[in-house]
Amino acid sequence: MAAARTTRAWAWVIALVAIALVLVLAGGAWATWRPLSDHDAARLTARDVVASVAESPDTRIPRETSDRQLSALGPAATPAQRDRLTEQQDPVELTTAASRLTELASNQEDAELAATMAGIAASWSATTVRADSDAPSVMDLEAADQLDVAAAERCTPELTALATQLDRARYTAQAAEAREDNGTDPGAAPLRQWQEHLDRLLDEPHAAPLYACDPHPARGGYQLPPNIAENAPDAAGHVAGDVSEYAAAALASSAPAERPWLLASLETSARAQALLQPQEPVPALVGDITVTGQ
């Protein structure tokens, strides 16, 4: 009788071990053969773009900056994921890499991932414009699509706060240019260009409806930076940095329909800050500070 019970016990043990082995093998097979999700495909492609910039012989991005950007995009691809990536990146120059990341950010459903990609792209664009003030933008300000978002869904603190910051930046840039010897100083040209970009951003269909929100964005009458009399471009550059932070926060929480306007706001503010504050380092990621209100 005892022998029979022992035999049955061993049979159960063998069966459980067999089931566990099948589950382990099945899990391994799934990890090897499962499709790569759209999220991972975009994230890992962005990682490859950043790595390609780091490996480019003519890159102007310090290695520690590239490492920080790679870290922000999460872990590297596993061998199985690497096999499923359809796109391999050769070393590329900054403008091409920034355009690729902006494209990825435009089509990304995950808002936080889109904000990370856009931040990296904007910092690269700022680096190129500092080296060449005529370097083309990677984001077309005229490319904004018609919005297909209910008005109530657009009255978010992040979007109305960004509109306030854009208007504040225009107010500051106008005041700063007036202090630049009637527009003849070296800082006057980037100030005028910044104002033109701000006018276009605030005239776009994405901005105007926000003024119907409650509470709505502020308009005019802002307190100017305290150092505007001593260094007007630097003062305007600080405000451009604020716009970058608000744009990045809005990108991390807004719907894809908002992306064209937000991407343009982020890139143009990063480029303006790079020109107006040439003594300051270009950040590895634009907009590290999360802003949720006005």
Side-chain angles (χ1 to χ4, degrees):
M1 197 69 177
R5 284 198 297 270
T6 301
T7 300
R8 285 196 298 271
W10 274 109
W12 276 106
V13 170
I14 293 170
L16 290 173
V17 169
I19 292 170
L21 181 59
V22 168
L23 291 174
V24 169
L25 292 174
W30 173 247
T32 301
W33 296 107
R34 69 186 171 117
L36 192 63
S37 70
D38 290 343
H39 177 277
D40 277 340
R43 181 183 68 79
L44 294 173
T45 299
R47 260 188 138 269
D48 281 354
V49 174
V50 174
S52 75
V53 167
E55 294 162 6
S56 177
D58 62 346
T59 185
R60 296 185 293 275
I61 304 300
R63 184 70 220 195
E64 60 270 21
T65 296
S66 296
D67 288 344
R68 180 182 172 195
Q69 293 169 341
L70 288 168
S71 176
L73 289 167
T78 65
Q81 289 173 327
R82 172 60 54 198
D83 290 342
R84 278 155 186 75
L85 280 175
T86 58
E87 190 175 338
Q88 303 298 321
Q89 297 291 332
D90 295 322
V92 294
E93 50 84 31
L94 277 183
T95 302
T96 301
S99 295
R100 183 70 184 102
L101 279 195
T102 299
E103 179 186 351
L104 286 169
S106 299
N107 300 318
Q108 176 52 236
E109 288 294 327
D110 184 329
E112 290 189 5
L113 179 57
T116 298
M117 293 174 178
I120 296 171
S123 70
W124 287 346
S125 186
T127 300
T128 60
V129 79
R130 180 174 284 177
D132 176 9
S133 59
D134 294 324
S137 168
V138 300
M139 185 69 205
D140 184 0
L141 281 177
E142 303 297 338
D145 298 326
Q146 291 298 316
L147 279 175
D148 186 20
V149 181
E153 295 177 11
R154 300 197 65 240
C155 292
T156 66
E158 293 82 5
L159 289 175
T160 55
L162 174 59
T164 292
Q165 291 303 311
L166 289 169
D167 191 68
R168 172 184 171 233
R170 181 168 59 181
Y171 181 90
T172 305
Q174 290 169 345
E177 187 186 2
R179 286 165 169 77
E180 285 293 277
D181 289 343
N182 296 319
T184 59
D185 282 3
L191 283 169
R192 281 194 300 271
Q193 185 182 53
W194 180 216
Q195 288 178 63
E196 291 171 2
H197 287 154
L198 291 165
D199 287 340
R200 294 167 71 186
L201 287 165
L202 287 167
D203 286 343
E204 283 207 5
H206 290 253
L210 294 174
Y211 288 93
C213 295
D214 185 18
H216 57 75
R219 268 183 170 159
Y222 307 99
Q223 183 175 355
L224 292 170
N227 67 327
I228 195 165
E230 295 79 23
N231 191 337
D234 182 76
H238 277 294
V239 177
D242 291 342
V243 172
S244 293
E245 293 172 1
Y246 279 76
L251 270 164
S253 61
S254 297
E258 307 285 357
R259 296 274 166 78
W261 183 59
L262 296 177
L263 289 168
S265 299
L266 178 54
E267 188 199 3
T268 56
S269 61
R271 289 163 67 94
Q273 185 180 12
L275 292 175
L276 294 168
Q277 295 183 307
Q279 75 283 3
E280 298 292 336
V282 173
L285 290 165
V286 175
D288 286 331
I289 299 174
T290 300
V291 181
T292 56
Q294 295 185 32

